[in-house]
């Protein structure tokens, strides 16, 4: 390996960087009490058998219990002057005078927290250290916490007086949080109370509340304190006391609190449902009209909505047992439609009987809304539209189209796509129109209600023109009708029909490529897509680990391809395309580890021997690698196919695409600095994958997928980057270099010498996955 001495300019840059880092490590003080001991720092140290994560979490909770007069408050600064220039430093403002009384109060607060967490045998001490610097008496307070052993639950008893409540409780015991052996804490009991209240209120107990339950717990063992003269019983008690010392436990009894309010034990049924769909601040000048349908009374003042639409979206029926969960679902559905700015549902219990009436008040939103915005965008659906681009959008939204609470939106967009050298390489103009119906059209009662409840119907019509300078001009039309069904964390979409028609004008660069590589003629073609699209997405995880699974299937021309006529024979694309993705994010404090795997394949299905346009997927349906969201060590559409070694120079074969894509990505994301409320983050990442053709393509040797050449074909890139998080969007600048380049051969495939200009800079909007 060759080593060289740094140039003077490089050495100067290194010294300046080190100086800035030294400045960034400084802490300054402002408005401190001169000549008096003041709190400069507080430390909380937890001792015991804890994992690092548990210890860090408990120390954080204890730090929050410090008395206000002992808390140190600091402000992050970007630039300033304090005995010289300062960059990225911390400033302590108005540090409090140290008072041991406040430290003792903090100990009491910490003990209360530990007791609530199930630690009843804690020991907390504190000490101080004093550092004198000129007129500053900097006092550091160190709290040493030994929580002792955590108390666990030994037994749980539900002592409820009402037989129906007992039966409901027994049926729902599988989801109880109070189980033998779990750590005891007041917070856990509070969560169990919340669970019980939800269970009871979903079974008709409208007026049951948290305050109607009480928990009695014993961490000592009352039975062990009763005197006895039986030596065998005394021995048993001593043995039990010894066991409790070594493994402290608690018995818990859940009871009904004594109350004079008898309504808490009444099971209510739904009575009258009255809906006011068009309320406003002043309805005195309007004469109300009442329509009765499907058991509802719809009282309209301004006749803005069709009564039938209101009835279809109220998911509550007269005579149903009251359910708080059903009430919330109805409220969320109505507020989520978008035609009303506010919807409230008031349950009104009738006095003396077990019936509750619903009053639904709905305040319409402004019917029309127009917006103009500038945005950065990414689009992986079309390899020539917006890998990273900027655009201006103008849209008009009708929130009550056809008086049926439908959302009709028309959007005009002009955008540009930047090439790898920063030049404008693509220009996009589009007109998009969509109508979202907040129900199924037509009504499909055979679909289970749980899926119909959150079903949507969508009609889309789009016209797009993509002008790829010196390559082609592509105009496409798209019309589709689709449905979406959501339940819990699952989303299912079904689009049929999806009609796309594209026609292309080839320009000099593309014609030059076709002259060299005939397969381009069959890929860059005008054509018709008549497809069905199925999508299924599942999101989930825990508080610290979130994940998403997605599967998408598109099939074109399988039925319409049976029709034989000259137009369809020469224009209809016939293919099946399937892709799947799994992504996961692990939160680790302020850092995170994110990873993703993606696999997709599409196969053209020729209808006859000379059907060349279906040898491969149409180019606007093909996969591609490289760019800010994929294999970041390669430029946009510069990777693959396979281990093809042909140059990606503009005059040879710059555009790469394929019928298959396999890719895996991983990132470790971590914070750097908060600059005036804007978070600066960084990441280390690696990308692994490639694209391939399914059928042999003479123009791209070694470009087809083969299992025996898979490892040779795989590309690997790695790098780091900066992310500027503005909250509502994130700007990302990544630098990546090739660790393994499939376009090279033998040992040359692997990285052997790093140079700064060998890497690739990628500008992106938001996270890549």
């Amino acid at each position: 390996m060759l080593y060289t001495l740094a140039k003077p300019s490089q050495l100067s840059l290194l010294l300046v960087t080190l100086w800035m880092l030294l400045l960034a490590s400084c802490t300054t003080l402002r408005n401190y009490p001169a000549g008096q001991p003041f709190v400069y720092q507080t430390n909380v140290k937890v001792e015991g058998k804890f994992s690092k994560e548990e210890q860090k979490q408990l120390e954080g909770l204890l730090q929050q219990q410090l008395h206000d007069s002992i808390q140190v408050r600091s402000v992050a600064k970007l630039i300033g002057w304090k005995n010289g220039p300062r960059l990225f430093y911390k400033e302590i403002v108005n540090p409090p005078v140290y008072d041991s009384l406040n430290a003792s109060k903090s100990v009491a607060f910490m003990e209360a927290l530990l007791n609530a967490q199930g630690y009843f045998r804690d020991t907390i001490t504190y000490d101080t250290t004093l550092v004198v610097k000129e007129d500053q008496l900097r006092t550091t307070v160190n709290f040493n916490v030994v929580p002792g052993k955590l108390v666990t639950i030994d037994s749980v008893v539900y002592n409820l007086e009402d037989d129906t409540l007992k039966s409901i409780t027994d049926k729902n015991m599988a989801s109880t949080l109070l189980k033998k052996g779990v750590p005891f804490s007041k917070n856990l009991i509070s969560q169990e109370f919340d669970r019980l209240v939800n269970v009871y209120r979903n079974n008709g107990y409208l007026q049951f509340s948290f305050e109607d339950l009480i928990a009695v717990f014993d961490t000592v063992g009352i039975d062990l304190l009763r005197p006895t003269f039986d030596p065998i019983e005394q021995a048993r008690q001593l043995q039990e006391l010894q066991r409790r010392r070594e493994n402290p436990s608690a018995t818990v009894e859940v009871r009904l609190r004594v109350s004079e309010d008898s309504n808490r034990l009444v099971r209510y049924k739904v009575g009258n449902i009255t809906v006011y769909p068009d309320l406003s601040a002043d309805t005195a000048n309007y004469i109300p009209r009442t329509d009765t349908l499907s058991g509802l009374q719809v009282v309209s003042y301004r006749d803005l909505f069709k009564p039938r639409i209101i009835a279809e979206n109220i998911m509550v029926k007269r005579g149903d047992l009251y359910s708080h969960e059903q009430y919330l679902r109805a409220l969320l559905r109505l507020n989520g439609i978008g035609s009303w700015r506010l919807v409230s549902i008031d349950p009104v219990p009738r006095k003396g009987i077990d019936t509750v009436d619903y009053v639904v008040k709905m305040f319409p939103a402004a019917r029309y809304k127009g917006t103009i915005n500038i945005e950065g965008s990414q689009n992986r659906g079309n390899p020539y539209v917006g890998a990273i681009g900027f655009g201006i959008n103008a849209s008009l939204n009708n929130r009550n189209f056809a008086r049926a609470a439908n959302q009709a939106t028309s959007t005009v967009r002009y955008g540009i796509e930047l090439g790898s050298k920063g030049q404008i390489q693509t220009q996009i103009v589009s007109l998009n129109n969509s109508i979202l119906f907040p129900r199924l059209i037509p009504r499909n009662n055979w679909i289970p209600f749980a899926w119909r409840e959150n079903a949507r119907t969508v009609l889309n019509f789009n016209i797009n023109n993509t002008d790829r300078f010196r390559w082609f001009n592509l105009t496409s039309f798209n019309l589709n009708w689709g449905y979406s069904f959501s339940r819990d964390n699952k989303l299912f979409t079904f689009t049929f029909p999806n009609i796309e028609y594209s026609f292309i004008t080839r320009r000099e660069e593309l014609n030059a490529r076709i002259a060299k590589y005939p397969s381009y003629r069959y890929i860059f073609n005008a054509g018709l897509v008549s497809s069905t699209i199925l999508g299924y997405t599942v999101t989930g995880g825990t508080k610290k680990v979130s994940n998403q699974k997605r599967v998408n299937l598109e099939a074109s021309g399988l039925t319409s391809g049976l029709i034989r006529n000259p137009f369809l024979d020469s224009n209809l694309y016939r293919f099946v395309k399937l892709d799947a993705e799994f992504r996961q994010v692990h939160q680790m404090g302020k850092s995170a580890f994110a990873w993703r795997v993606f696999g997709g394949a599409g196969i053209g299905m020729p209808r006859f021997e000379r059907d060349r346009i279906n040898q491969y997927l149409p180019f606007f349906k093909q996969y591609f690698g490289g760019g800010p969201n994929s294999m970041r060590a390669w430029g946009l559409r510069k990777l693959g196919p396979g281990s093809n070694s042909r140059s990606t120079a503009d005059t040879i074969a710059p555009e790469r695409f394929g019928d298959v894509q396999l890719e895996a990505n991983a990132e470790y994301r971590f914070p750097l600095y908060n600059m005036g409320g804007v978070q600066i983050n960084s990441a280390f990442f690696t990308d692994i994958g490639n694209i391939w053709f399914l059928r042999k393509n003479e123009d791209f040797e070694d470009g087809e997928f083969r299992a025996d050449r898979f490892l040779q074909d795989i590309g690997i890139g790695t790098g780091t980057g900066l992310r500027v998080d503005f909250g509502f969007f994130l700007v990302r600048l990544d630098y990546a270099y090739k660790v393994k380049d499939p376009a090279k051969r033998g040992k040359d495939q692997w990285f052997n010498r790093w140079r700064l200009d060998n890497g690739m800079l990628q500008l992106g909007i938001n996270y890549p996955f």
Side-chain angles (χ1 to χ4, degrees):
M1 185 177 290
L2 182 65
Y3 295 89
T4 59
L5 292 175
K7 297 179 181 179
S9 59
Q10 294 174 332
L11 186 60
S12 300
L13 179 61
L14 178 62
L15 291 175
V16 169
T17 303
L18 291 174
W19 177 71
M20 291 176 66
L21 290 174
L22 288 174
L23 289 178
S25 66
C26 296
T27 299
T28 64
L29 290 161
R30 182 159 60 90
N31 299 335
Y32 59 88
Q36 290 182 280
F38 60 86
V39 181
Y40 180 74
Q41 187 176 357
T42 55
N43 300 313
V44 178
K45 178 66 175 177
V46 172
E47 299 178 7
K49 296 181 179 179
F50 301 96
S51 67
K52 289 185 178 180
E53 186 66 26
E54 291 172 338
Q55 182 179 359
K56 185 178 180 180
Q57 183 178 8
L58 190 54
E59 287 176 349
L61 291 172
L62 291 168
Q63 189 81 32
Q64 296 173 13
Q65 301 304 307
L66 296 177
H67 191 272
D68 286 345
S69 296
I70 207 172
Q71 296 248 18
V72 179
R73 294 174 175 81
S74 60
V75 179
K77 295 284 188 176
L78 172 62
I79 189 170
W81 186 276
K82 182 71 175 181
N83 298 326
R86 293 288 182 269
L87 295 174
F88 303 110
Y89 66 100
K90 183 173 68 174
E91 184 177 66
I92 297 176
V93 183
N94 299 319
V97 175
Y98 172 71
D99 188 338
S100 60
L101 180 61
N102 294 328
S104 299
K105 289 179 180 179
S106 298
V107 170
F109 295 156
M110 290 181 180
E111 288 176 341
L113 172 72
L114 290 175
N115 291 165
Q117 295 288 323
Y119 299 97
F120 291 91
R121 301 179 182 180
D122 56 84
T123 302
I124 304 177
T125 60
Y126 70 91
D127 58 70
T128 61
T129 58
L130 182 67
V131 175
V132 180
K133 187 176 182 180
E134 299 177 351
D135 61 345
Q136 302 173 10
L137 304 182
R138 301 180 176 182
T139 304
T140 300
V141 187
N142 302 301
F143 292 92
N144 303 300
V145 182
V146 183
K149 284 196 172 183
L150 184 65
V151 176
T152 59
I153 294 177
D154 183 62
S155 62
V156 183
V157 177
Y158 292 86
N159 189 4
L160 305 172
E161 301 171 2
D162 185 84
D163 291 336
T164 306
L165 280 181
K166 289 180 182 178
S167 176
I168 294 172
T169 304
D170 292 340
K171 289 179 181 178
N172 290 273
M173 282 302 293
S175 56
T176 182
L177 301 176
L178 302 180
K179 298 178 181 179
K180 184 174 181 177
V182 303
F184 169 84
S185 72
K186 294 179 182 178
N187 183 50
L188 185 67
I189 293 175
S190 178
Q191 292 177 18
E192 175 67 3
F193 279 13
D194 287 335
R195 184 190 73 86
L196 289 173
V197 170
N198 285 332
V199 168
Y200 299 151
R201 297 191 72 183
N202 288 333
N203 283 274
Y205 291 92
L206 167 64
Q207 302 198 56
F208 199 95
S209 66
F210 188 96
E211 288 71 24
D212 291 321
L213 293 173
I214 186 172
V216 179
F217 53 92
D218 171 24
T219 60
V220 178
I222 299 299
D223 292 340
L224 302 179
L225 302 180
R226 294 173 181 171
T228 179
F229 296 101
D230 186 347
I232 296 178
E233 181 63 19
Q234 289 177 349
R236 188 195 68 79
Q237 288 182 348
L238 289 173
Q239 185 178 8
E240 181 64 17
L241 281 171
Q242 180 64 27
R243 186 189 70 82
R244 281 181 174 265
R245 287 193 189 98
E246 296 175 356
N247 299 291
S249 61
T251 59
V252 182
E253 181 182 359
V254 179
R255 301 175 183 174
L256 278 178
R257 190 186 297 273
V258 177
S259 174
E260 296 180 357
D261 183 11
S262 59
N263 290 326
R264 63 180 182 157
L265 300 181
V266 174
R267 297 186 80 185
Y268 288 90
K269 292 183 179 179
V270 177
N272 297 328
I273 303 172
T274 306
V275 184
Y276 299 88
D278 51 8
L279 286 176
S280 62
D282 183 12
T283 57
N285 297 325
Y286 298 94
I287 299 174
R289 189 189 77 187
T290 302
D291 296 281
T292 302
L293 65 163
S294 302
L296 280 74
Q297 285 188 326
V298 180
V299 182
S300 301
Y301 287 92
R302 294 176 287 166
D303 197 27
L304 297 181
F305 299 90
K306 298 175 182 178
R308 177 175 56 84
I309 300 303
I310 305 301
E312 288 180 346
N313 286 285
I314 301 290
M315 299 297 182
V316 181
K317 295 181 181 179
R318 184 186 177 96
D320 288 348
L321 188 68
Y322 172 81
S323 168
H324 189 64
E325 181 180 354
Q326 187 181 53
Y327 159 81
L328 289 176
R329 287 205 307 264
L331 188 62
L332 288 173
R333 177 178 175 80
L334 292 172
N335 276 295
I337 289 175
S339 297
W340 294 274
R341 61 180 175 84
L342 177 64
V343 177
S344 66
I345 303 178
D346 300 326
V348 182
R350 298 184 191 175
K351 293 183 179 180
I353 58 175
D354 60 348
T355 302
V356 56
D357 297 326
Y358 280 172
V359 178
V360 183
K361 300 177 182 178
M362 311 174 74
F363 297 86
R367 185 166 186 173
Y368 295 99
K369 179 184 179 182
T371 59
I372 297 177
N373 59 68
I374 298 174
E375 65 175 20
S377 64
Q378 298 171 340
N379 184 344
R380 290 185 59 84
N382 185 331
Y384 288 96
V385 179
I388 171 64
F390 302 91
I392 180 168
N393 296 337
S395 64
L396 178 66
N397 176 231
N398 182 348
R399 294 190 176 100
N400 187 23
F401 179 73
R403 294 178 53 241
N406 304 317
Q407 306 288 308
T409 304
S410 297
T411 302
V412 178
R413 181 174 187 267
Y414 171 78
I416 58 173
E417 177 194 319
L418 302 181
S420 58
K421 297 179 181 179
Q423 80 281 12
I424 297 176
Q425 70 176 23
T426 307
Q427 181 176 256
I428 308 108
V429 180
S430 64
L431 172 63
N432 304 321
N433 300 276
S434 67
I435 303 176
L436 173 65
F437 305 89
R439 58 197 172 280
L440 288 179
I441 299 177
R443 297 173 181 83
N444 295 280
N445 293 330
W446 56 270
I447 297 175
F449 175 78
W451 286 94
R452 280 189 289 120
E453 182 182 13
N454 293 311
R456 301 287 189 271
T457 305
V458 182
L459 172 65
N460 284 308
F461 175 66
N462 306 320
I463 303 175
N464 298 278
N465 178 265
T466 302
D467 195 318
R468 177 70 191 275
F469 299 142
R470 302 180 63 189
W471 272 75
F472 59 79
N473 184 284
L474 175 70
T475 301
S476 60
F477 302 87
N478 177 224
L479 175 67
N480 61 61
W481 179 271
Y483 301 92
S484 67
F485 305 87
S486 61
R487 183 182 180 186
D488 300 327
N489 62 335
K490 302 175 183 65
L491 174 66
F492 176 74
T493 59
F494 171 67
T495 302
F496 176 80
N498 176 60
I499 307 296
E500 302 176 47
Y501 183 70
S502 303
F503 59 88
I504 187 171
T505 301
R506 298 168 180 162
R507 292 178 174 158
E508 62 271 20
E509 290 291 342
L510 180 55
N511 287 327
R513 299 294 87 72
I514 290 174
K516 283 187 176 181
Y517 314 115
S519 65
Y520 274 40
R521 178 185 303 277
Y522 309 120
I523 294 173
F524 288 89
N525 245 344
L528 171 69
V529 172
S530 175
S531 67
T532 300
I533 304 174
L534 300 175
Y536 184 65
T537 303
V538 180
T539 57
T542 63
K543 186 176 180 180
K544 293 185 178 180
V545 181
S546 61
N547 54 62
Q548 183 187 81
K549 306 168 190 174
R550 180 184 63 83
V551 179
N552 195 74
L553 171 67
E554 181 175 6
S556 172
L558 298 189
T559 54
S560 53
L562 299 176
I563 304 172
R564 297 297 302 274
N565 65 54
F567 175 78
L568 293 180
D569 287 348
S570 59
N571 288 277
L572 180 64
Y573 286 115
R574 195 166 183 259
F575 63 86
V576 175
K577 182 181 179 183
L578 174 67
D579 48 60
E581 180 184 49
F582 178 81
R583 57 177 66 187
Q584 192 171 76
V585 179
H586 295 255
Q587 284 299 142
M588 299 178 291
K590 293 183 179 180
S591 301
F593 175 74
W595 64 282
R596 162 189 178 264
V597 290
F598 175 86
I603 181 169
M605 304 174 67
R607 289 156 292 173
F608 46 89
E609 185 177 354
R610 294 186 179 181
D611 183 7
R612 294 298 186 89
I613 71 168
N614 285 307
Q615 291 291 322
Y616 315 103
L617 289 177
F619 73 98
F620 51 86
K621 295 289 183 179
Q622 286 193 326
Y623 299 101
F624 64 95
N629 302 314
S630 182
M631 304 289 293
R632 284 164 280 187
W634 283 264
L636 180 64
R637 299 185 291 274
K638 303 298 183 185
L639 173 64
S643 52
N644 177 261
S645 59
R646 181 158 283 157
S647 170
T648 60
D650 290 345
T651 57
I652 301 179
E655 309 299 332
R656 303 302 173 91
F657 29 75
D659 303 323
V660 180
Q661 182 175 20
L662 297 175
E663 188 170 324
N665 317 87
E667 283 194 353
Y668 175 67
R669 302 165 180 168
F670 54 92
L672 287 182
Y673 196 77
N674 189 295
M675 185 171 59
V678 177
Q679 183 63 44
I680 311 296
N681 301 324
S682 184
F684 295 113
F685 60 82
T686 187
D687 303 317
I688 303 172
N690 207 336
I691 60 168
W692 296 264
F693 286 111
L694 272 179
R695 294 187 172 94
K696 187 175 181 62
N697 188 325
E698 298 295 340
D699 296 328
F700 293 95
E701 185 180 359
D702 297 329
E704 72 277 8
F705 184 86
R706 282 175 45 183
D708 61 344
R709 212 175 51 232
F710 179 74
L711 294 179
Q712 178 181 342
D713 290 351
I714 285 295
I716 303 175
T718 190
T720 185
L722 285 176
R723 287 89 192 273
V724 183
D725 190 350
F726 294 96
F728 54 94
F729 81 103
L730 178 144
V731 176
R732 173 168 49 90
L733 182 64
D734 289 335
Y735 171 82
Y737 61 90
K738 301 170 186 175
V739 174
K740 180 178 180 293
D741 187 352
K744 296 182 179 180
R745 296 292 179 263
K747 294 182 180 180
D748 290 338
Q749 278 196 331
W750 292 91
F751 163 81
N752 55 16
R753 179 176 296 180
W754 177 81
R755 283 176 48 191
L756 183 64
D757 57 356
N758 278 343
M760 178 68 63
L761 277 175
Q762 303 281 6
L763 176 64
I765 306 296
N766 295 325
Y767 287 113
F769 54 89

